[in-house]
Amino acid sequence: MNANKTGESVPKGSDHSNAESSEDRILALAKASAKGISDKDIQNEIPDLRPDQRASIINKFLSKGYLDLFTQGGTLLYKLKDPTVAQKVKGADNEEKIVYSIIEEAGNKGIWIRDIRFKSNLIPTQLNKLLKILENKKLIKAVKSVSASKKKVYMLYNLEPDRSVTGGAWYCDQDFEAEFVDVLNQQCYRYLQQKLEATKDCKGGPIAARNISYASSKDVWKYISDLGISKVQLSVEDVETILDTLLYDGKVERTVATDGDHFYRAVESLLPAPGIVRLPCGVCPVLQNCSDVGSVNPKKCVYMKEWLE
Amino acid sequence: MSLQFEKLCSLILLEHFGEIIQKVGNDLYKCQSKPLNLIVGSTKLPFQKVKQALRIMIQYGFVTFAEGQFPDKAEYTLLADKVILLLRYPRYLLLMKTQYGDEAEMLVEEILRRGQDTASSVIIRAATRLKESLKVEKVCLVTLHDKFSVLVNKQFLMRCPSPDEEKGVPVLTIKEKLLYLPPELNLKGLADIEEGKPGDPGDGGIYWRVNFDRFHQDFRDQIMVSAISRRCDDNAGELLKELLKQMYLRTEAWAATSNPVPFTELREAVRKQSSRPLLGQYIEQYLKVMEEDSSGFVSKVGDSSGGQYSINMKTAFVQLTWATIENIVMERFGSKGARIFRLVRAKKFVEQEQIQQVAMIPAKEAKLLTYRLLEENFLHIQELRKSLANNVPNKTFFLFHIDLNQVARMVLEMCYKALYNAMVRREHERSENRRMVEKQQRIESITLTMREQGATAEQLAEIEEMLTPPEQALLEKVRTMINKLSEAELQLDETMFILQLYLSYQV
């Protein structure tokens, strides 16, 4: 790929009119085929083009950024680049283009500066300068990742960062909004509990009662949206993650309907709080150290004393 | 069999039977089984005392004996589980009182007091006590006798095995059909004895004891019924009760899964109860709801005769144990901790990273809670290496998981410890205030004798004033403390019961 890319660019005002028409034909061919064209296709289209001429034309296109190079099944494929992208890096030098393409490859997940360095083989100072230039041109942006607060990742300017980078609706400036989650968690539970209570005086039999107490994740989502407690727009999936926390709180149970929708209902725990936690020992942090001898013992236990008073 | 269990056992023996039996019990606990002279040797107690202690413990069913390595020499074994049951006696009595009335309670209590006894002497002692408590002249012995027979028929009481032949170490045996055969008493003779005249009730040599398993069976059913009632509603609980009744007709009580119960018979049984019209109307639906519930108590096993249903005792107790332990984690580590615990339960094996993402807990807090759970052994860790070679830099995954069996055993240990602590504390409070309690008792006895001698109200008031108000307040405080601790001991026992049952089903 590098061999092709670094090829000398042929000046536009060439007197080879033959070559110019071949160029146009190759471009037209590439434009016509979305899948890309191979050397063979070009040979079929323009049989009188010599291989060295063809190579020089292709190299020219590649360096200008008109074409992209792919390998498929051992053969090389040329594909027409999106003209708008080509527009953006216009006027940039080769290094910038390479860095840009590396960042572009990373998509909306972004890429870490160290990884760019490894991929591009550029020295850090140069790379920093390049990134700054690209940033100033508003071609790329730096986004702080939630998984590691000091880690910056780069991605194209117009991309919306992936959930794994921003953490989705639950993060605000890399901070997890625990309170927001707690409030939503309580509200979802309240909604499901209301549904469960509505079944108390249901006369239609237990199955009807059970079905009333079920709410789909869409219902809960609508309820939460209508409440207006959230500044950001939540998706149904967001509400489902909240409902799943309720599931792990043991307060609701989940079933999957035949069409793949999740349904939730509030349930009671099978047992009340067990007897052991009614005694201080059940929640004692130093139970393991407690024995007949030593300073932690049942006779002098302060937790017992507090509890007994 | 742990250290904690041993300490608890020993304390219970001390509290109920005194020092000598405690010493013998401790000695027996330490080894599998031992002949008499070795016990004498290691406890350094007089031969006669050890013999007496063993006799008492055999009577209460705490110790068994069998021929050991040497012929004609008995070796004694301590049944520590039976000793722990002593703490459950109040619950047995409560069950009797609520289900079969005061007389039944009295009868069972009299047997529990003696460990084992003949029907006639139990009835007579119960009669005397009933007379005292009800303050009546005459108690109908026939009613008591009938009650006794009912309890035998319901298998709450059973005959003790007796030695078959007098040769060497006796082997205690009893024929199966005799085990629950009600006693035939000579009521005339019984009445004579009650009035203090010599008489023969006609049951010499037939001793009875309490069948603890039967009580446990009722406790188990109660727990399951109340769990289903909490999950669905009272009608579902009632249906489960009926299902359990049907189950006993065709399945051994402690089987892991019951034999299938046909729907038609169940419906017949429910229909006979007119108290719950809703249940009769929606019985199919209730069965379906119970079957589809995540608790998995009931499952459908066939379609013949309107559907065959069976009860999954083992699954039920796995679920109940999970619920118990989840509740304990909830109290110890807060709701966030419980969320992590349940999450690991649901995902089976899970990485730390994933826990904090799915549980929606800030990374720092999630880590803290996860490692605290790990530290206290509620979670376990599984290392997963990509390669086993040491020289290659390899990535290792640390997966969290829960071994329920292990956690249940650990929580049971916690229960033993808590129980031991509560008992120690109770004794401590009692001995700290012994002087005060004794003083109060002395004053009470003085007042009683004075009143009998016809003292004036003034004199009585004077004596009562010997106990100053602060002293009285203190006494009251000690009393509430001791009550609170005793109550906690009983509640603890409920937790222990579920865990013990779970473990017994796992074997």
Side-chain angles (χ1 to χ4, degrees), chain B residues 116-135:
Chain B
Q116 42 185 282
D117 208 347
T118 59
S120 50
S121 70
V122 168
I123 290 176
I124 286 176
R125 266 183 292 131
T128 345
R129 280 193 51 205
L130 274 173
K131 260 188 252 168
E132 274 170 25
S133 64
L134 299 173
K135 301 216 169 18

Side-chain angles (χ1 to χ4, degrees), chain B residues 297-337:
Chain B
F297 284 15
V298 176
S299 61
K300 193 172 181 177
V301 285
D303 288 318
S304 55
S305 62
Q308 304 266 341
Y309 292 88
S310 70
I311 303 177
N312 308 313
M313 290 292 177
K314 196 173 166 182
T315 334
F317 271 85
V318 171
Q319 293 293 339
L320 288 169
T321 306
W322 274 115
T324 309
I325 292 173
E326 279 167 9
N327 279 334
I328 291 172
V329 171
M330 168 90 154
E331 300 294 332
R332 280 183 83 91
F333 303 93
S335 57
K336 293 268 166 71

Side-chain angles (χ1 to χ4, degrees), chain B residues 324-487:
Chain B
T324 309
I325 292 173
E326 279 167 9
N327 279 334
I328 291 172
V329 171
M330 168 90 154
E331 300 294 332
R332 280 183 83 91
F333 303 93
S335 57
K336 293 268 166 71
R339 188 185 293 173
I340 291 176
F341 185 77
R342 284 202 190 84
L343 183 112
V344 178
R345 176 194 170 187
K347 301 255 175 198
K348 303 276 192 303
F349 286 88
V350 65
E351 265 191 297
Q352 161 65 40
E353 191 95 335
Q354 214 185 342
I355 291 179
Q356 66 203 42
Q357 266 169 22
V358 180
M360 308 277 288
I361 299 172
K364 215 173 171 185
E365 200 185 340
K367 264 184 207 134
L368 185 79
L369 281 169
T370 315
Y371 287 104
R372 268 190 63 207
L373 280 165
L374 181 72
E375 192 192 355
E376 300 206 13
N377 291 323
F378 283 96
L379 292 185
H380 308 101
I381 214 163
Q382 169 76 49
E383 257 182 68
L384 204 66
R385 284 193 181 191
K386 270 191 152 177
S387 78
L388 284 170
N390 277 331
N391 49 0
V392 198
N394 53 29
K395 186 167 164 55
T396 314
F397 299 98
F398 291 97
L399 300 174
F400 289 91
H401 68 111
I402 301 168
D403 183 345
L404 182 62
N405 214 332
Q406 209 169 322
V407 176
R409 278 173 204 279
M410 183 195 69
V411 174
L412 196 57
E413 277 307 288
M414 268 168 63
C415 288
Y416 291 147
K417 193 162 198 173
L419 197 53
Y420 176 78
N421 285 352
M423 287 173 70
V424 167
R425 182 75 183 206
R426 179 159 52 79
E427 274 319 297
H428 175 68
E429 294 292 345
R430 197 170 278 162
S431 64
E432 283 282 283
N433 299 290
R434 174 153 294 149
R435 196 188 57 81
M436 198 76 72
V437 175
E438 276 169 6
K439 185 178 176 188
Q440 191 209 16
Q441 280 168 352
R442 232 178 10 250
I443 289 170
E444 265 172 16
S445 69
I446 291 173
T447 333
L448 210 67
T449 45
M450 294 281 280
R451 192 171 287 150
E452 275 169 10
Q453 286 163 6
T456 58
E458 229 170 84
Q459 281 172 311
L460 284 175
E462 201 173 296
I463 293 164
E464 258 168 35
E465 267 168 26
M466 280 164 70
L467 212 62
T468 58
E471 278 175 333
Q472 265 172 350
L474 187 69
L475 268 174
E476 191 52 40
K477 205 172 123 191
V478 171
R479 207 171 294 135
T480 46
M481 264 189 213
I482 289 174
N483 283 347
K484 205 169 179 182
L485 282 165
S486 317
E487 201 188 311

Side-chain angles (χ1 to χ4, degrees), chain A residues 210 249 282 292 299 307, chain B residues 292 332 342 420 425 484:
Chain A
R210 189 188 57 177
D249 281 343
D292 289 333
K299 284 179 188 168
W307 176 65
Chain B
E292 284 174 3
R332 280 183 83 91
R342 284 202 190 84
Y420 176 78
R425 182 75 183 206
K484 205 169 179 182

Side-chain angles (χ1 to χ4, degrees), chain B residues 138-382:
Chain B
K138 192 108 181 91
V139 179
C140 181
L141 288 176
V142 182
T143 344
L144 278 172
H145 178 241
D146 288 349
K147 266 272 150 52
F148 196 93
S149 304
V150 168
L151 292 181
V152 173
N153 276 329
K154 294 267 177 196
Q155 306 194 345
F156 283 108
L157 304 177
M158 62 208 261
R159 279 185 201 220
C160 295
S162 46
D164 46 359
E165 51 197 277
E166 292 293 324
K167 195 183 79 187
V169 180
V171 181
L172 300 180
T173 50
I174 187 161
K175 286 195 187 107
E176 184 108 17
K177 62 174 186 197
L178 282 176
L179 205 53
Y180 301 111
L181 193 71
E184 280 174 24
L185 294 183
N186 176 6
L187 287 170
K188 174 101 180 37
L190 201 62
D192 285 345
I193 294 177
E194 202 216 346
E195 283 160 17
K197 289 184 277 188
D200 178 28
D203 69 338
I206 302 176
Y207 287 85
W208 296 87
R209 60 180 167 155
V210 169
N211 181 9
F212 295 113
D213 273 352
R214 180 66 180 78
F215 282 91
H216 295 165
Q217 189 187 323
D218 266 34
F219 290 154
R220 178 193 67 182
D221 295 354
Q222 271 177 6
I223 290 172
M224 286 176 69
V225 168
S226 73
I228 279 289
S229 303
R230 273 174 75 92
R231 243 316 142 76
C232 306
D233 57 9
D234 292 344
N235 286 328
E238 195 62 35
L239 181 61
L240 186 70
K241 218 185 262 177
E242 208 52 59
L243 205 54
L244 282 165
K245 260 188 218 161
Q246 294 290 321
M247 166 189 160
Y248 292 134
L249 297 180
R250 56 200 91 219
T251 317
E252 194 238 328
W254 294 98
T257 326
S258 79
N259 292 334
V261 175
F263 173 68
T264 39
E265 284 183 33
L266 192 63
R267 190 175 52 197
E268 236 9 82
V270 170
R271 210 170 264 167
K272 275 180 204 151
Q273 287 188 321
S274 51
S275 58
R276 296 201 178 260
L278 261 179
L279 181 57
Q281 194 181 344
Y282 292 116
I283 175 163
E284 281 116 328
Q285 295 199 3
Y286 272 113
L287 273 172
K288 199 162 170 54
V289 168
M290 266 158 67
E291 186 203 330
E292 284 174 3
D293 192 80
S294 54
S295 54
F297 284 15
V298 176
S299 61
K300 193 172 181 177
V301 285
D303 288 318
S304 55
S305 62
Q308 304 266 341
Y309 292 88
S310 70
I311 303 177
N312 308 313
M313 290 292 177
K314 196 173 166 182
T315 334
F317 271 85
V318 171
Q319 293 293 339
L320 288 169
T321 306
W322 274 115
T324 309
I325 292 173
E326 279 167 9
N327 279 334
I328 291 172
V329 171
M330 168 90 154
E331 300 294 332
R332 280 183 83 91
F333 303 93
S335 57
K336 293 268 166 71
R339 188 185 293 173
I340 291 176
F341 185 77
R342 284 202 190 84
L343 183 112
V344 178
R345 176 194 170 187
K347 301 255 175 198
K348 303 276 192 303
F349 286 88
V350 65
E351 265 191 297
Q352 161 65 40
E353 191 95 335
Q354 214 185 342
I355 291 179
Q356 66 203 42
Q357 266 169 22
V358 180
M360 308 277 288
I361 299 172
K364 215 173 171 185
E365 200 185 340
K367 264 184 207 134
L368 185 79
L369 281 169
T370 315
Y371 287 104
R372 268 190 63 207
L373 280 165
L374 181 72
E375 192 192 355
E376 300 206 13
N377 291 323
F378 283 96
L379 292 185
H380 308 101
I381 214 163
Q382 169 76 49

